[in-house]
Amino acid sequence: MKRIWLVLLGLVMGCGMAMAAPVKVIILDGQSGGTYHDWKLTSQIMKRQLEEAGLFEVAVVTAPPADADFSSFRPDFAKYQLVVSNYDAPDWPAFNEMIGVGGWRGRDAPAGPKWYYKDGQLDSDPGPDPAGMHGLRTPFRVTARAPQHPILRGLPPEWMHHTDELYTRLRGPGKNMTVLATAYADPANRGTGFDEPMLMALTFGKGRIFDTTLGHDATALSCVGFITTFQRGAEWAATGRVTQKAPKNFPTSDSVSYRPDLAAMDPAVAGGVPATSRAPAK
């Protein structure tokens, strides 16, 4: 895949964890495909976002290059309650099940069916086709599909996401997966004409997973909708509950809301280059 789905894996179960102590988080990075995928920058933005929530203590751990010797790379995961994967390389069955759906990297029918919403219902297609596609980066509307889930409770039924890549043709096992939100992939922008999964909640063994396809670059990460669902998804994955309230500047169904200071952490954006012109459609 061109950029790893942001996957938040809670390593412990139980809602009774005292919140007086911060949730210890590890952001795992070290590799991302493509010229326009700055994992060093996106990890620092996400670290800042989690720390601003006031609930998390965050460390960033960088894996060696994919062709390096991993025998000495042994993060002490037992120290953390939450793992945030910003790493574009995992290729193993357990990870495929954890994320529910994915794209690129040669995924086809053996990885699982394609998942999408059609006529208001979650549907799947087991037929063969390579997984993963997107059109030009543009704002798009996100629609809640599980509004009573703790991550979405209290958020509007629809909101505009800031300029980003809308991923389509995602396939995977979809096991123990709840699609929290979707976005319509407009055929006018190389879309499928379906409502594609954007936010997912899953379980794997004793862990909880929040999986988001949003947040390709600094511009997309600056969206208040992304920040809110990321912070709330992190809390839910770690604790099973969400105590954070929706911010007053949360985007509406017809207008975006974003943090210029976060977008400007990208030197190109700070220099006046719009992110939408930096990468062609794939």
Side-chain angles (χ1 to χ4, degrees), residues 139-143 158-161 166 182-184 252-254:
F140 53 83
R141 184 174 290 107
V142 176
T143 299
E158 293 184 331
W159 67 89
M160 288 298 295
H161 177 55
L166 197 166
T182 62
Y184 177 69
T252 70
S253 62
D254 57 7

Side-chain angles (χ1 to χ4, degrees), residues 243-272:
T243 61
Q244 302 168 74
K245 305 299 182 183
K248 293 182 179 180
N249 62 336
F250 195 85
T252 70
S253 62
D254 57 7
S255 63
V256 299
S257 176
Y258 72 100
R259 292 266 304 273
D261 60 317
L262 294 180
M265 289 178 69
D266 182 340
V269 174

Side-chain angles (χ1 to χ4, degrees), residues 138-151:
T138 183
F140 53 83
R141 184 174 290 107
V142 176
T143 299
R145 297 294 179 177
Q148 293 308 309
H149 190 280
I151 295 173

Side-chain angles (χ1 to χ4, degrees), residues 48-61:
R48 177 171 163 181
Q49 290 170 342
L50 289 177
E51 290 173 341
E52 286 180 350
L55 301 175
F56 308 99
E57 179 182 310
V58 187
V60 178
V61 174

Side-chain angles (χ1 to χ4, degrees), residues 58-137:
V58 187
V60 178
V61 174
T62 300
D67 56 356
D69 180 7
F70 272 67
S71 61
S72 61
F73 179 68
R74 297 186 178 184
D76 187 2
F77 288 108
K79 291 171 52 178
Y80 303 96
Q81 294 151 284
L82 183 72
V83 175
V84 177
S85 176
N86 189 32
Y87 180 72
D88 187 1
D91 184 17
W92 47 297
F95 186 77
N96 190 45
E97 187 173 326
M98 288 178 198
I99 64 175
V101 293
W104 292 279
R105 290 203 178 278
R107 280 175 174 262
D108 208 321
K114 289 176 288 185
W115 295 89
Y116 50 85
Y117 259 73
K118 181 179 180 182
D119 300 325
Q121 300 292 326
L122 185 63
D123 203 350
S124 63
D125 177 2
D129 271 324
M133 185 175 175
H134 67 80
L136 292 170
R137 300 180 197 173

